[in-house]
Amino acid sequence: MKHELPKLAYEYNALEPFIDEQTMRIHHTKHHQAYVDKLNAALEGHSELQKQTVEELVKNINRIPENLRTAIRNHGGGHLNHSFFWHLLKKNNGAKPTRNVGDGIVSAFSSFDNFKKLFSETANARFGSGWAWLVSNEGHLEIASTANQDNPISEKKIPIMGIDVWEHAYYLKYQNRRAEYVDAFFNVINWEQVEKNFEHAKKR
Ligand code: MN
């Protein structure tokens, strides 16, 4: 089984002006495609690993043979993280989360505004390339951060929401102004998908 680049459920310009069309196109067709291609290349000839989903590979990264581990961690992680990220994006007209995840955020972080502040600080503080996440840690909502293409699932934390803070995610429009990109990101969070991720996490 070869891993494949998933199609986006929306147009590359759907998130304008918050995330620009050119960034979305390059991010999906070049960066994400490269993770898929390099993951497939790393798995070539390893039929037992080729049978696993990318989530299984990344979740059990420490059980991957050492000579393949770094490639699968980086490119499998890249494929997993971006596949997750695209579903999180939809213009929300400034909406805040409601329903169960909205309640969960308020209960874990006192208020949505406090959650937004803490999440943004974590995203802005990630040195170099990586991600900031809202995760479920044994049912508790927490903010986390990973370097490079690591995913919290390798530490048994289930991602609910996350932001890519690699420069390739924002540099064309925001240059060095990561904080502006992080602020803009709150206009393109698909809270319905976040709700689904939250509910799904409870069943695992
Ligand atoms: Mn990226």
Side-chain angles (χ1 to χ4, degrees):
M1 179 190 75
K2 286 238 176 200
H3 296 276
E4 287 181 10
L5 183 70
K7 287 202 165 56
L8 295 194
Y10 45 82
E11 302 295 324
Y12 290 119
N13 65 4
L15 308 171
E16 291 269 9
F18 305 107
I19 303 180
D20 59 290
E21 176 175 1
Q22 190 186 13
T23 296
M24 285 301 294
R25 187 183 303 277
I26 294 171
H27 201 173
H28 181 245
T29 64
K30 304 293 183 191
H31 293 277
H32 190 172
Q33 183 72 61
Y35 295 122
V36 171
D37 292 344
K38 289 175 184 172
L39 173 62
N40 284 328
L43 294 174
E44 202 141 329
H46 302 279
S47 56
E48 70 297 340
L49 295 177
Q50 285 172 331
K51 287 179 201 144
Q52 296 185 32
T53 65
V54 67
E55 187 171 13
E56 288 167 336
L57 292 170
V58 173
K59 189 174 181 180
N60 302 309
I61 194 67
N62 289 321
R63 286 188 228 152
I64 303 286
E66 211 173 331
N67 61 326
L68 298 173
R69 195 178 302 154
T70 300
I72 292 176
R73 182 176 177 177
N74 291 340
H75 305 303
H79 178 33
L80 180 65
N81 291 349
H82 289 84
S83 299
F84 178 78
F85 186 59
W86 307 133
H87 287 296
L88 292 174
L89 303 177
K90 185 184 182 183
K91 270 204 264 189
N92 64 24
N93 300 310
K96 294 177 184 179
T98 56
R99 303 172 64 193
N100 294 329
V101 77
D103 292 345
I105 285 172
V106 170
S107 127
F109 304 102
S110 307
S111 67
F112 176 76
D113 289 345
N114 193 47
F115 161 71
K116 182 179 174 182
K117 177 175 169 281
L118 294 172
F119 182 87
S120 301
E121 283 171 1
T122 302
N124 291 326
R126 163 51 55 196
F127 183 74
S129 297
W131 294 71
W133 308 92
L134 174 65
V135 301
S136 169
N137 184 6
E138 295 184 344
H140 300 285
L141 285 178
E142 294 176 358
I143 293 167
S145 171
T146 58
N148 303 314
Q149 294 298 356
D150 289 353
N151 185 292
I153 205 155
S154 303
E155 296 171 3
K156 298 187 166 54
K157 296 173 187 172
I158 302 171
I160 307 292
M161 193 272 277
I163 182 173
D164 185 347
V165 293
W166 283 58
E167 284 188 343
H168 69 224
Y170 63 87
Y171 203 85
L172 293 176
K173 182 175 173 75
Y174 296 96
Q175 293 84 49
N176 62 325
R177 303 185 307 278
R178 185 192 288 182
E180 280 183 33
Y181 158 69
V182 172
D183 208 47
F185 171 73
F186 275 84
N187 292 288
V188 293
I189 299 174
N190 181 351
W191 290 115
E192 288 156 31
Q193 182 63 44
V194 177
E195 175 77 14
K196 280 185 203 164
N197 296 342
F198 182 67
E199 290 303 305
H200 187 57
K202 288 183 188 167
K203 294 174 195 137
R204 296 162 53 167

